[in-house]
Amino acid sequence: MIAGPCAVESPRQMLLAAQAVKRAGAKCLRGGAYKPRTSPYSFQGLGLQGLQILHEVSQKVKMPAVTEVVEVGDVAAVERYASAFQVGARNMQNFRLLKALGQSRKPVILKRGMAASVEDLLLAAEYILSEGNANVILCERGIRTFETATRNTLDLNAIPHIKTHSHLPVIVDPSHGTGVREYVAPMARAAVACGADGLLVEVHPNPKEALSDGHQSLDFRQFASLMRSLRPFVKAAGRRF
Amino acid sequence: MIAGPCAVESPRQMLLAAQAVKRAGAKCLRGGAYKPRTSPYSFQGLGLQGLQILHEVSQKVKMPAVTEVVEVGDVAAVERYASAFQVGARNMQNFRLLKALGQSRKPVILKRGMAASVEDLLLAAEYILSEGNANVILCERGIRTFETATRNTLDLNAIPHIKTHSHLPVIVDPSHGTGVREYVAPMARAAVACGADGLLVEVHPNPKEALSDGHQSLDFRQFASLMRSLRPFVKAAGRRF
Amino acid sequence: MIAGPCAVESPRQMLLAAQAVKRAGAKCLRGGAYKPRTSPYSFQGLGLQGLQILHEVSQKVKMPAVTEVVEVGDVAAVERYASAFQVGARNMQNFRLLKALGQSRKPVILKRGMAASVEDLLLAAEYILSEGNANVILCERGIRTFETATRNTLDLNAIPHIKTHSHLPVIVDPSHGTGVREYVAPMARAAVACGADGLLVEVHPNPKEALSDGHQSLDFRQFASLMRSLRPFVKAAGRRF
Amino acid sequence: MIAGPCAVESPRQMLLAAQAVKRAGAKCLRGGAYKPRTSPYSFQGLGLQGLQILHEVSQKVKMPAVTEVVEVGDVAAVERYASAFQVGARNMQNFRLLKALGQSRKPVILKRGMAASVEDLLLAAEYILSEGNANVILCERGIRTFETATRNTLDLNAIPHIKTHSHLPVIVDPSHGTGVREYVAPMARAAVACGADGLLVEVHPNPKEALSDGHQSLDFRQFASLMRSLRPFVKAAGRRF
C-alpha cells in the first residue's frame, strides 16, 4: 500500500500525511513535486523543494517514498531524493524518459496512459526493461471512455490480462481511476480481489484545501477505514500487506 | 449466482448444465431461447421450443430460470415459461419492450447497453418501474471502449456508482464483460468485493462445441472452482450466496 | 436532402417546416411520430396521430416522407402513412424489427448505433436484405466517445469505409452527429466532400420551443443558408441534389 | 499543404519525396528524424543525421520543413535545422517540452493526443502561448474509439468546434487519422470542406518499403491525384493552396 497526498504542499502537510498513512498500515509514501497539469494556470508543484521535503519526511517516518518524474533532466534529482520513480499517464509514451529510467536501478512505477491499451503499456515497459532496469511496476489508473459518472474508467480487466501476459507486478490507483472519493474503497477491494499486487491511494490532511485532486483524496479517518475494510479481502486473496 | 449456458441447445445439454451448476451452488438457471446475434447467419436460438426445454429442466432440478425476451410479442410466452425476464444490452433502450415488462410482476434483469452510461441505464429502468413493476435488477456487462484485450470493458466502477444513486439491486456478468474464460473468475471476485448483489455466469457442458459464446463459457470443473474461490470473498463482503 | 423536424408536434408546425424545407431545395421530408427517448418522462411523440399529420402534409406539399418505426407492431401503420422507414440508432440491433422491415418493399434508412462498428451496421443491414428488401440506406449519425464537446462524434471515416465494403447508399445526419446547431453546416459540407449520398437534417420553425432536440435543429433561415453553402461542394463532388 | 515521408530514411528517399510533393503543389515538407514508436524494437528514426538530411533537402528544393521534437534537450537542434516544430500526439501533454517551445519563435504544430478532448488540446496550446510563442498551429489527427475499421477515428467535428472557441489555425492529418491509404483523399476533402486551414499528409517514394507507417502513406501518383481532387473543394471553401 502506497499512500500520500497528490502533491507535496508543505513540510507540515507532508509530515502529517506520512504519519497518518503509516499509522494506518501503509508501507510506502507518495507525494508529487513535479505535477503535470492539464492547464498551465493550475498549481504545478514545488519542484526541487518538494523533492527535498518528501525526502526529509520519508527519513523521519522511515518509509520509502515514490514521486513522479516528468523530464529526462530531472531523473538525477529524483533518483537522489526518492526511493522509486513514478511515470505518469501523460508520459507513458515519453520514450526518452523511459530509456533514461532504464539506466537507473531504482524501481519505476509506470502508469497506464488514458488511451493506452494494455499492449501499449507492456511495450512501454519494454523501453525501461531493454535498457537494463528490471524493476518495473505497472499501474492501472483508468482509461478514457464515454462514461462521465467517473473521471476515468478504472479498467480492472487489465489485471488478469497482465497477469497472464507478463511477469511484472501490477498495482492499481483507484483515486485517479474513479476520481470520486466514495468509490475509492470499493474499487480498492475489487483490485485486491482480482489479483492486484498493490494499491496507490491519495490521502490528504484536508482534502477540501488540497492544491490538486482534492475531490478524490481520502482524509485520515477515511484512509484508516479503507485499510480496515481491505484486510479480509487481502486475506481472502491469500496475500499480506 | 445465476448460471447456465448462453443458449438452450437441447434438453440434454440444458439438463446437464442445470445439474452441474446446482451441484456447485448456483441458485438460479440461465439459458437463452431467443438469441439476438450480430449476424443473421449465426445461430438464432430455438425460440418457443427452447423456452419449453428451459421450463422442463427448471422444474426437474427445482431452480428458477431466467431467459432473454427480445420482442413485445414474446412477453406472454416468456412470462409463462420462465421465472424472470432478461433484457439484453442491445434492447436496453427498446422502450416499448421495457413498458410491456412494466406490466408484468415477474423480475426483470436489465442489462446495460454497450454505449449506455449508468444514467441511461437508470432511466431505462424507469420505463419499467413507472409502469408498476418494481422488480428490476440492473446488470453490468461491459461497455465498448478502445481496449481490445477484452471483448468489452467490464465497468465495475458502475457498482459503487449505482449503489449511491439507486436502491435497485445490481448484478455483474463477467462472461460477457470480459469475453475471456480465464478472466471470468478474477472479475467475479472483484464484482463481489466492490458490492455487487449477484453474478450471471455462462456455463456449458462443452464450451468448445457451444453454438454461441463458447470462448467465454466455463466448463463444469471451472465453474465449481469459481464457486469455491468466491466463498472467502463473499464472506469478506459480509454476504451469503 | 431529407429535412424536417425531429418530432411531429402539430399540423401547423409540420406544414410550415415542410413548405420551408421544400422551398430551400430539400427533396424529402422527415418527422418523428414515435420517439424513443432516454427518459420515460420526456415527450414520446404523437404516435398514430403524428403519422397521419405527416401523411397529410406530405401529400399537400408533394414530398415523400420518412419516419421512425420502433416496434414490429407498428410496421403496417408506418408503411401505410410514410414513404420510407427509419430505424433509429437504439434499434439498430432490434433484429426482429429489421426482419419485419425485410418483408416490406419500401426503403429503410438504417441508422448506426452509438456503439456499433461499421461492421455491425453492415451485418444489421443483412437482416433486412436477407429477408428480401434490397432497399436499404445506411446512415452515419455519430458514435459515443470520450469527447464531450459534441453530443456524439460524427464518424465521417465510415463513409469511405462503407463505400469500399458495400454497394449500399450511405447518408449522414450531422444534427444528431454533432448535437450543436453551429456545427451542422460545416459537417454537412464535409459529408458531401467525403462521398456521402445524402443528408438528414433537423429543421424546426422555432427550435427554442421544439419538444425534442431543439439545440441541434436549424431554423428556416439557417437551413436555407446551409442549402446555399452546400451547392459548390455538391458540384465539386460531381453530384446533384 | 504539408507533405512528405513519415520518417527520414536516406538523402535519396527524402529528396525524391520533396521533389514529388513540390511538383504536385505542396508548400511545406515533413519528415521525422526522432520517431516515438510504441515498441522499442521498431525503427526509431535517424536522429541528428535525419535532421541534417531534412535540412539539406529543404534548402535544395526551397521548401520549409517541419519535423517532430520529442525532448527538451533536442529543441535547440531542431530549431537550427527545421522551419517549424511538430509535437506528436504522445507528447501533447509533455508540458516541459511545450514550455521550452514557448521560448522559441518558430511555429509549433501541436497534434491532438489520442485521448485528448479539444479542451485539453487548447489548454496544452496555452502552455506554449503563455511562454510567449504565439505561433501555434493545432492539428487534428484522430482519437481512440472502439471503432477498429480505421486506426484512429479522425474527429473532424473538432474543426468547427476549434473555430468557434479559438483564434488558432487548425490543420488535419488524414494519414494518421485514418491509417488507411484509400481513406486519406476523401477525408482530406472533408477536412477542407469543414473549415480546416491546412493538411498534413504522408507521402513516400515506395510505401511498401517504408520503415514506418507505409500502409497509410501515398505514393507520388496518389498524392498528385489527391492534389487534383482537392482543388474544386478548396475553391468551394473560398480558400487557396
Side-chain angles (χ1 to χ4, degrees):
Chain A
M1 169 61 84
I2 305 167
C6 181
V8 180
E9 297 171 9
S10 72
R12 186 176 149 73
Q13 168 247 22
M14 200 61 223
L15 182 61
L16 284 175
Q19 291 170 332
V21 301
K22 186 173 191 185
R23 204 161 45 232
K27 295 295 174 221
C28 183
L29 195 58
R30 63 155 286 161
Y34 301 105
K35 300 301 306 170
R37 303 298 297 276
T38 301
S39 162
Y41 311 116
S42 302
F43 173 62
Q44 308 273 320
L46 296 182
L48 188 59
Q49 190 198 343
L51 279 186
Q52 290 164 340
I53 294 172
L54 182 68
H55 181 65
E56 281 162 32
V57 169
S58 153
Q59 300 283 90
K60 197 171 287 179
V61 300
K62 298 193 173 54
M63 289 174 85
V66 56
T67 197
E68 183 162 355
V69 58
V70 299
E71 236 287 304
V72 172
D74 297 334
V75 170
V78 173
E79 187 161 35
R80 181 170 163 204
Y81 289 116
S83 311
F85 299 100
Q86 180 183 305
V87 177
R90 289 173 183 79
N91 280 306
M92 189 199 86
Q93 294 192 317
N94 184 335
F95 300 122
R96 289 289 184 86
L97 179 60
L98 301 183
K99 283 185 178 177
L101 295 173
Q103 308 289 338
S104 173
R105 289 301 166 268
K106 288 202 168 173
V108 180
I109 296 178
L110 179 61
K111 293 188 122 183
R112 180 181 182 186
M114 282 189 287
S117 66
V118 173
E119 194 190 341
D120 291 343
L121 174 62
L122 293 174
L123 285 168
E126 286 291 311
Y127 272 91
I128 305 171
L129 299 169
S130 64
E131 295 288 321
N133 185 350
N135 221 334
V136 178
I137 299 163
L138 306 174
C139 181
E140 162 61 33
R141 50 74 76 208
I143 56 175
R144 267 212 170 159
T145 72
F146 65 82
E147 176 60 80
T148 54
T150 42
R151 183 182 176 188
N152 295 291
T153 297
L154 186 69
D155 177 18
L156 291 182
N157 310 277
I159 309 305
H161 186 68
I162 289 171
K163 286 290 172 192
T164 60
H165 289 78
S166 167
H167 67 284
L168 295 173
V170 55
I171 66 174
V172 169
D173 173 352
S175 304
H176 284 90
T178 65
V180 183
R181 186 177 300 125
E182 289 73 18
Y183 307 165
V184 170
M187 297 313 286
R189 292 193 288 266
V192 167
C194 68
D197 298 303
L199 292 163
L200 186 63
V201 173
E202 290 189 350
V203 180
H204 193 278
N206 189 348
K208 279 189 191 151
E209 294 182 7
L211 295 182
S212 88
D213 287 349
H215 51 286
Q216 69 197 32
S217 295
L218 305 184
D219 65 22
F220 297 160
R221 199 183 48 76
Q222 289 161 339
F223 181 69
S225 158
L226 163 64
M227 290 299 284
R228 279 192 304 274
S229 89
L230 275 173
R231 282 180 206 288
F233 292 93
V234 171
K235 202 182 151 204
R239 309 289 283 258
R240 289 183 309 141
F241 270 117
Chain B
M1 170 61 83
I2 305 168
C6 182
V8 179
E9 297 171 9
S10 72
R12 187 175 150 74
Q13 169 246 19
M14 200 61 224
L15 183 60
L16 284 174
Q19 291 170 333
V21 302
K22 186 174 189 184
R23 206 160 45 229
K27 294 296 173 221
C28 182
L29 196 58
R30 62 155 288 161
Y34 303 105
K35 299 301 308 169
R37 302 299 296 276
T38 302
S39 163
Y41 310 116
S42 302
F43 173 62
Q44 307 274 319
L46 296 182
L48 189 59
Q49 192 199 341
L51 279 185
Q52 290 164 341
I53 294 173
L54 182 68
H55 182 64
E56 281 161 33
V57 168
S58 152
Q59 299 283 91
K60 197 171 289 180
V61 300
K62 296 194 173 53
M63 289 173 86
V66 57
T67 198
E68 183 163 353
V69 58
V70 298
E71 236 288 305
V72 172
D74 298 333
V75 170
V78 173
E79 185 161 37
R80 182 172 163 205
Y81 289 116
S83 311
F85 298 99
Q86 180 183 306
V87 177
R90 289 174 183 77
N91 280 304
M92 189 199 87
Q93 294 191 317
N94 184 335
F95 301 121
R96 289 290 184 85
L97 179 60
L98 301 182
K99 282 185 179 177
L101 295 173
Q103 307 289 337
S104 173
R105 287 303 166 267
K106 288 202 168 172
V108 180
I109 295 178
L110 178 63
K111 292 187 123 184
R112 182 180 180 186
M114 282 189 287
S117 67
V118 173
E119 194 189 342
D120 292 342
L121 174 62
L122 293 173
L123 285 167
E126 286 291 310
Y127 273 91
I128 306 172
L129 299 168
S130 64
E131 294 289 322
N133 185 352
N135 222 334
V136 178
I137 299 162
L138 306 174
C139 181
E140 162 60 33
R141 49 77 72 206
I143 56 174
R144 266 211 172 161
T145 72
F146 65 82
E147 177 59 80
T148 54
T150 43
R151 184 183 177 186
N152 296 290
T153 297
L154 186 70
D155 177 18
L156 291 182
N157 310 279
I159 310 303
H161 186 70
I162 290 171
K163 287 291 172 191
T164 59
H165 288 79
S166 168
H167 67 286
L168 295 173
V170 56
I171 66 175
V172 170
D173 174 353
S175 304
H176 283 89
T178 65
V180 183
R181 186 178 300 124
E182 289 72 19
Y183 307 164
V184 170
M187 297 312 286
R189 292 193 287 268
V192 167
C194 69
D197 298 302
L199 292 163
L200 187 63
V201 173
E202 289 189 350
V203 180
H204 193 278
N206 189 348
K208 280 190 191 150
E209 294 181 9
L211 295 181
S212 88
D213 286 348
H215 51 287
Q216 69 196 33
S217 295
L218 304 184
D219 65 22
F220 297 160
R221 197 182 50 76
Q222 289 161 338
F223 181 69
S225 157
L226 164 64
M227 291 298 284
R228 278 192 305 274
S229 89
L230 275 174
R231 280 180 209 287
F233 292 93
V234 171
K235 202 182 151 206
R239 310 289 282 259
R240 287 183 311 139
F241 272 117
Chain C
M1 170 61 84
I2 306 167
C6 181
V8 180
E9 296 172 10
S10 72
R12 186 175 151 73
Q13 168 247 21
M14 200 60 225
L15 183 60
L16 285 175
Q19 291 169 332
V21 301
K22 185 173 190 186
R23 203 159 46 229
K27 296 294 173 220
C28 183
L29 196 58
R30 62 155 290 162
Y34 303 105
K35 300 301 307 169
R37 302 299 297 276
T38 302
S39 162
Y41 310 115
S42 301
F43 173 62
Q44 307 274 318
L46 295 182
L48 189 59
Q49 192 200 341
L51 280 185
Q52 290 163 343
I53 294 172
L54 182 69
H55 181 65
E56 281 162 33
V57 169
S58 152
Q59 300 282 91
K60 196 170 292 180
V61 299
K62 297 195 173 52
M63 289 173 86
V66 56
T67 198
E68 182 163 355
V69 58
V70 298
E71 236 287 305
V72 173
D74 298 333
V75 171
V78 173
E79 187 162 35
R80 183 171 162 204
Y81 289 115
S83 311
F85 299 100
Q86 179 184 306
V87 177
R90 289 173 183 79
N91 280 305
M92 190 199 86
Q93 294 192 316
N94 184 336
F95 301 121
R96 290 288 185 86
L97 179 60
L98 301 182
K99 283 184 179 178
L101 295 173
Q103 308 288 337
S104 173
R105 288 301 165 270
K106 288 203 168 171
V108 180
I109 295 178
L110 179 62
K111 293 188 121 183
R112 180 180 183 187
M114 282 188 287
S117 66
V118 173
E119 194 190 341
D120 291 344
L121 174 62
L122 293 174
L123 285 167
E126 285 291 310
Y127 272 92
I128 306 171
L129 298 168
S130 64
E131 295 288 321
N133 185 350
N135 222 333
V136 177
I137 298 162
L138 305 175
C139 180
E140 163 60 34
R141 48 76 73 206
I143 56 175
R144 266 210 172 161
T145 71
F146 65 82
E147 176 59 79
T148 54
T150 42
R151 183 184 177 186
N152 296 291
T153 297
L154 186 69
D155 177 18
L156 291 183
N157 311 278
I159 309 305
H161 186 70
I162 289 171
K163 287 291 171 192
T164 59
H165 288 79
S166 168
H167 67 286
L168 295 173
V170 56
I171 66 175
V172 169
D173 173 353
S175 304
H176 283 90
T178 64
V180 183
R181 186 178 302 125
E182 288 74 18
Y183 307 164
V184 170
M187 296 314 286
R189 293 193 287 267
V192 167
C194 68
D197 299 301
L199 292 163
L200 185 64
V201 173
E202 290 189 351
V203 180
H204 192 280
N206 189 348
K208 280 192 190 148
E209 293 182 8
L211 296 180
S212 85
D213 287 347
H215 51 287
Q216 70 196 32
S217 294
L218 305 184
D219 65 23
F220 297 159
R221 199 183 49 76
Q222 290 161 336
F223 181 69
S225 158
L226 164 65
M227 290 299 283
R228 279 192 304 273
S229 89
L230 274 174
R231 281 179 208 287
F233 292 93
V234 171
K235 202 184 152 205
R239 310 289 283 259
R240 288 184 309 140
F241 271 119
Chain D
M1 169 62 84
I2 306 167
C6 182
V8 179
E9 297 171 9
S10 72
R12 187 176 148 74
Q13 168 246 23
M14 201 60 225
L15 182 61
L16 285 175
Q19 291 169 332
V21 302
K22 185 171 190 186
R23 205 162 43 232
K27 295 294 173 220
C28 183
L29 195 59
R30 60 155 288 160
Y34 302 104
K35 300 301 306 171
R37 303 298 297 277
T38 303
S39 162
Y41 310 116
S42 302
F43 174 62
Q44 307 275 319
L46 295 182
L48 188 59
Q49 191 199 343
L51 279 186
Q52 290 163 341
I53 295 173
L54 183 68
H55 181 64
E56 281 161 33
V57 169
S58 152
Q59 300 282 90
K60 197 171 289 180
V61 299
K62 298 195 173 51
M63 290 174 86
V66 56
T67 198
E68 183 163 354
V69 57
V70 299
E71 237 286 304
V72 172
D74 298 333
V75 170
V78 172
E79 187 161 35
R80 180 170 163 205
Y81 289 115
S83 311
F85 299 99
Q86 179 184 307
V87 177
R90 289 174 182 79
N91 280 306
M92 190 199 87
Q93 294 191 317
N94 184 335
F95 300 121
R96 290 286 185 88
L97 179 60
L98 302 181
K99 282 185 180 178
L101 296 173
Q103 307 289 338
S104 173
R105 286 302 165 267
K106 289 203 167 172
V108 180
I109 297 179
L110 179 62
K111 293 188 120 182
R112 180 180 181 187
M114 283 189 287
S117 67
V118 174
E119 194 190 342
D120 291 343
L121 173 62
L122 293 174
L123 285 168
E126 286 291 311
Y127 272 92
I128 305 171
L129 299 168
S130 64
E131 295 289 322
N133 185 350
N135 222 334
V136 178
I137 299 163
L138 306 175
C139 180
E140 163 59 33
R141 48 79 71 208
I143 55 174
R144 267 210 170 160
T145 72
F146 65 82
E147 177 59 80
T148 55
T150 42
R151 183 182 177 187
N152 295 290
T153 297
L154 186 70
D155 177 18
L156 291 183
N157 310 278
I159 310 304
H161 186 69
I162 289 171
K163 287 290 172 194
T164 58
H165 288 78
S166 169
H167 67 285
L168 294 173
V170 57
I171 65 174
V172 170
D173 173 353
S175 305
H176 283 90
T178 64
V180 183
R181 186 178 302 126
E182 289 73 19
Y183 308 165
V184 170
M187 297 313 286
R189 293 193 287 268
V192 167
C194 69
D197 299 302
L199 291 164
L200 186 63
V201 173
E202 289 189 350
V203 180
H204 193 278
N206 189 348
K208 279 189 190 149
E209 293 182 8
L211 295 181
S212 88
D213 286 348
H215 52 286
Q216 70 196 30
S217 294
L218 304 184
D219 64 24
F220 297 160
R221 200 183 48 76
Q222 289 161 339
F223 181 68
S225 157
L226 164 64
M227 290 298 285
R228 279 193 303 275
S229 90
L230 275 173
R231 282 181 207 287
F233 292 94
V234 170
K235 201 182 152 205
R239 309 289 282 259
R240 289 184 308 140
F241 270 118

